[in-house]
Amino acid sequence: MSGRFVRSSKYRHVFGRPTRKEQCYDNVRVSRNAWDTNLIKVNPKYLAINWESGGGGAFGVIPLHERGKLPERIPLFRGHTAVVLDTDWNPFNDDLIASCSDDGKVFLWRVPENFTVTPDIPADEIQDVNPVGKLSGHPRKVGHVLFNPAAENVLATSSGDFTIKIWDIEAGAAKLTLNVGELVQSQSWSANGSLLVTTSRDKKLRIWDVRQERPAHETNGHSGAKNSRCVWLGEHDRVATTGFSKMSDRQLALWDIRAPREPISGFKTLDSISGVCMPFWDEGTQCLYLAGRGDGNIRYFEYENDKFEYLSEYKSGDPQRGIAFMPKRGVNMHENEVVRIFKTVGDTYIEPISFIVPRRSELFQDDIYPPTIGLKAAMGPSEWLAGKEAIPPKISMASLYEGAGLKEVTPTQDKPTPPPKAAEPTPEPTPVVKGPPPSMKEQGASMAAMVSKFADEDKPDEADDSSSFEEVSKPVERPSAITLSPADDVEPPAVSPPHLWRAKSAESAQQPASTSDANTSTAESTSAVPADAVQREIDAIKNLIAEQTKTIAAQAQQVQNLTMEIEQLKAKLED
């Protein structure tokens, strides 16, 4: 098709590369519990796995560099009296992890120093790891744990008692409680940690103002009977959800959190596969990844102009039940890897999948590796509870690429979660070709206003402060141009308009006339300096007005030419 349009994107050819089995994490025992969580979690140092074990609940932790087949007996993180349902790594400390269980307890753990799953001791002497903290408050099972992405040591837990508790793990106490009224199926924090989005069994999508302990918005989500998932799109004020229609078709939806009554562009049908779609957002590439639970496919979309543009799909014959998403600071930039996903295969081994931008250059690719969140939180738990909102400082990916460690490049941002249109700090200038051109009457009025303004500048005492033309002359610093002598005690106030500065300088030039004759010559020299400076400013303004007049005349000529072309086209159409 000769006229086919291909959307430009640097991620259009991203492909997923599997890992050879000998480089996977083999001989694991993934929990066979039917609870709908991701089963595994990863950070740049460790991989956590909900473990299938008897005699209570446990999960395993594997250092990422210890690949291959695991021994039959490894040290487990054991302490729950029922099966472990979910885990989550602390985003600001790679050695801390939280777990929740069917026993209603939430435990906090610290990975021991020099931890390994292959200790050089007999198997019967291997010691399990004990928790370092315990959070009790839910009377029923706790299904999800999720650390706040901006505030340090703030943890959200959802339970079968139909509530979400917000914990300050430093104090070991629940500070806030969200009464959902139904079983929570998934939850996701906003980038600044002030809002929380949830999906639940009653098919409602709720956006919680957490510190007010109430939903800011509540609307109907996916109408299907199966579980739905949600994910916050990083620093945007958008949320993506996956779920099912009444006909059991898998769906994807994009929501504006300011008006979430209906999804943007409606519910998009993906396919008719029965497995839950697990969504993951990558802030660096602005891409959404959807991994099917029970199938081996991973689709990815690029978010652009409030739409998800389909990129491609990684297909595999090995179905996954659990998925983990590596934080950006853990990817391999030397191979142009933008995302690394870990998937469970047959509940017996974990396979890493690298998503790579195919490029030949061996240099650092700064366009696909923008600054990312590091290990420093934006605030502590007390500041967060007091109402502070901020996004953590970001680190340079180039410093990680060069092996220089974590280097902050972006300070803590006080205005988090901006709308997509306000993502850039400075708006793009509006091109002249956009919108209807100004009429000749409007241009004439504009020129007359500028001429009038020029006349006012010749009479500084009658300057019009309300005129917008002062914005044009703003780069000229008038106070610095007016140099007063040490004998002059009068200084222009910092907030005075320019015409008042000039008036005061004239008064100060006249003051020495009433003093002794010996100071007369000095007064005349000091009064001449501001007069010359003002004259130079007036000349500069005259030149500026002349240039603007030429520009407006050229635009008027362009409008006239366009009008003539339109008339000619009309005449041709009439013929």
Side-chain angles (χ1 to χ4, degrees):
M1 192 172 172
S2 59
R4 184 177 180 182
F5 172 75
V6 178
R7 192 180 65 89
S8 175
S9 171
K10 52 181 170 284
Y11 305 114
R12 193 157 52 92
H13 300 293
V14 169
F15 67 95
R17 185 181 66 189
T19 304
R20 298 193 307 271
K21 188 171 182 179
E22 57 268 21
Q23 291 296 315
C24 296
Y25 304 90
D26 198 4
N27 199 30
V28 300
R29 299 178 179 85
V30 181
S31 173
R32 293 182 175 85
N33 189 274
W35 182 252
D36 185 20
T37 58
N38 292 341
L39 297 176
I40 58 177
K41 291 291 178 67
V42 70
N43 68 18
K45 292 175 66 176
Y46 303 107
L47 173 66
I49 307 168
N50 293 4
W51 205 263
E52 182 69 22
S53 65
F59 66 95
V61 171
I62 304 173
L64 289 185
H65 64 274
E66 297 187 12
R67 301 195 179 205
K69 190 172 183 178
L70 273 64
E72 292 296 325
R73 174 78 168 92
I74 67 170
L76 296 176
F77 287 61
R78 192 184 298 272
H80 288 286
T81 57
V83 62
V84 172
L85 299 180
D86 195 20
T87 58
D88 193 38
W89 291 102
N90 188 319
F92 308 113
N93 190 328
D94 288 340
D95 296 322
L96 293 180
I97 188 172
S99 66
C100 63
S101 169
D102 213 339
D103 61 8
K105 301 294 188 296
V106 177
F107 284 162
L108 305 172
W109 315 74
R110 182 182 297 276
V111 180
E113 190 175 354
N114 301 321
F115 178 77
T116 177
V117 292
T118 58
D120 192 16
I121 57 175
D124 56 354
E125 296 180 10
I126 293 177
Q127 299 292 323
D128 290 331
V129 180
N130 296 319
V132 296
K134 177 181 178 181
L135 305 177
S136 300
H138 289 293
R140 297 189 179 182
K141 68 178 178 182
V142 182
H144 301 90
V145 288
L146 190 63
F147 276 100
N148 190 299
E152 192 170 18
N153 295 328
V154 174
L155 181 71
T157 61
S158 63
S159 169
D161 61 8
F162 305 155
T163 67
I164 296 176
K165 289 188 180 295
I166 310 299
W167 304 81
D168 177 359
I169 66 174
E170 290 181 2
K175 298 296 185 178
L176 304 167
T177 300
L178 312 181
N179 293 306
V180 184
E182 191 51 88
L183 188 66
V184 174
Q185 295 173 339
S186 70
Q187 57 189 8
S188 180
W189 287 101
S190 62
N192 64 344
S194 64
L195 301 175
L196 184 74
V197 58
T198 61
T199 59
S200 49
R201 196 167 54 185
D202 59 0
K203 305 173 187 177
K204 296 284 188 181
L205 178 72
R206 295 178 175 88
I207 299 167
W208 296 86
D209 186 343
V210 179
R211 287 165 292 199
Q212 298 296 322
E213 298 182 286
R214 62 177 180 80
H217 297 285
E218 179 177 324
T219 187
N220 293 322
H222 299 270
S223 58
K226 298 179 182 179
N227 286 5
S228 60
R229 295 283 194 98
C230 60
V231 64
W232 205 288
L233 301 191
E235 298 176 21
H236 299 292
D237 57 352
R238 298 290 187 269
V239 168
T241 60
T242 59
F244 294 84
S245 68
K246 290 183 178 180
M247 302 301 294
S248 295
D249 293 327
R250 287 201 296 197
Q251 295 177 326
L252 171 65
L254 175 66
W255 307 79
D256 182 350
I257 67 164
R258 298 167 299 184
R261 185 179 183 87
E262 295 289 340
I264 301 172
S265 302
F267 294 96
K268 179 180 179 181
T269 300
L270 298 173
D271 52 41
S272 298
I273 301 176
S274 60
V276 173
C277 243
M278 297 176 278
F280 298 90
W281 171 253
D282 180 36
E283 180 69 16
T285 61
Q286 299 287 295
C287 290
L288 179 72
Y289 290 76
L290 301 182
R293 186 182 176 98
D295 61 80
N297 303 336
I298 301 174
R299 306 178 199 194
Y300 36 105
F301 304 78
E302 185 174 8
Y303 174 67
E304 188 177 55
N305 299 325
D306 263 349
K307 292 191 299 182
F308 288 120
E309 301 287 354
Y310 175 77
L311 292 175
S312 187
E313 182 175 10
Y314 171 81
K315 296 184 178 181
S316 170
D318 298 321
Q320 65 250 354
R321 287 183 57 236
I323 288 287
F325 203 84
M326 171 69 77
K328 183 65 73 173
R329 55 190 171 87
V331 300
N332 186 351
M333 290 174 283
H334 293 276
E335 295 184 359
N336 292 335
E337 179 187 55
V338 290
V339 167
R340 189 184 308 166
I341 292 178
F342 292 71
K343 59 176 282 186
T344 65
V345 179
D347 295 339
T348 58
Y349 73 93
I350 310 296
E351 177 187 12
I353 302 170
S354 298
F355 288 84
I356 296 173
V357 177
R359 291 183 177 178
R360 293 180 180 273
S361 176
E362 295 180 359
L363 301 176
F364 176 71
Q365 308 293 308
D366 56 354
D367 63 325
I368 61 175
Y369 294 115
T372 189
I373 300 298
L375 289 173
K376 182 178 178 181
M379 67 202 92
S382 58
E383 295 176 296
W384 181 81
L385 288 167
K388 182 177 179 180
E389 295 184 8
I391 295 177
K394 296 183 179 180
I395 60 171
S396 168
M397 296 292 284
S399 64
L400 293 178
Y401 179 88
E402 297 165 358
L406 303 181
K407 180 182 178 182
E408 288 186 13
V409 294
T410 305
T412 300
Q413 303 175 50
D414 293 330
K415 293 184 178 181
T417 319
K421 294 181 181 178
E424 294 293 334
T426 54
E428 293 291 336
T430 305
V432 178
V433 296
K434 290 188 176 180
S439 64
M440 296 299 295
K441 183 178 181 180
E442 293 173 345
Q443 291 192 18
S446 176
M447 293 174 64
M450 281 190 288
V451 171
S452 175
K453 179 61 185 177
F454 171 65
D456 289 342
E457 288 295 334
D458 287 337
K459 299 177 181 180
D461 291 336
E462 299 176 2
D464 183 9
D465 292 339
S466 63
S467 174
S468 62
F469 186 70
E470 288 296 330
E471 295 296 325
V472 177
S473 60
K474 191 174 182 179
V476 181
E477 296 291 339
R478 289 192 173 90
S480 62
I482 302 174
T483 305
L484 300 179
S485 66
D488 297 329
D489 296 332
V490 180
E491 296 181 5
V495 295
S496 298
H499 69 280
L500 294 182
W501 296 346
R502 292 193 291 271
K504 290 188 177 183
S505 65
E507 293 175 2
S508 63
Q510 296 174 1
Q511 284 181 358
S514 62
T515 60
S516 63
D517 295 338
N519 296 332
T520 303
S521 59
T522 305
E524 292 176 354
S525 62
T526 56
S527 63
V529 174
D532 293 342
V534 172
Q535 185 60 42
R536 286 195 298 270
E537 292 177 15
I538 293 175
D539 293 339
I541 294 173
K542 288 180 179 179
N543 294 334
L544 183 60
I545 292 177
E547 292 177 0
Q548 291 185 346
T549 303
K550 292 179 181 179
T551 302
I552 293 175
Q555 291 179 353
Q557 183 62 38
Q558 185 180 7
V559 171
Q560 186 176 1
N561 294 338
L562 291 173
T563 304
M564 293 176 60
E565 291 181 7
I566 293 173
E567 294 297 333
Q568 293 175 359
L569 290 173
K570 286 182 178 179
K572 290 182 180 180
L573 291 175
E574 291 176 358
D575 294 341

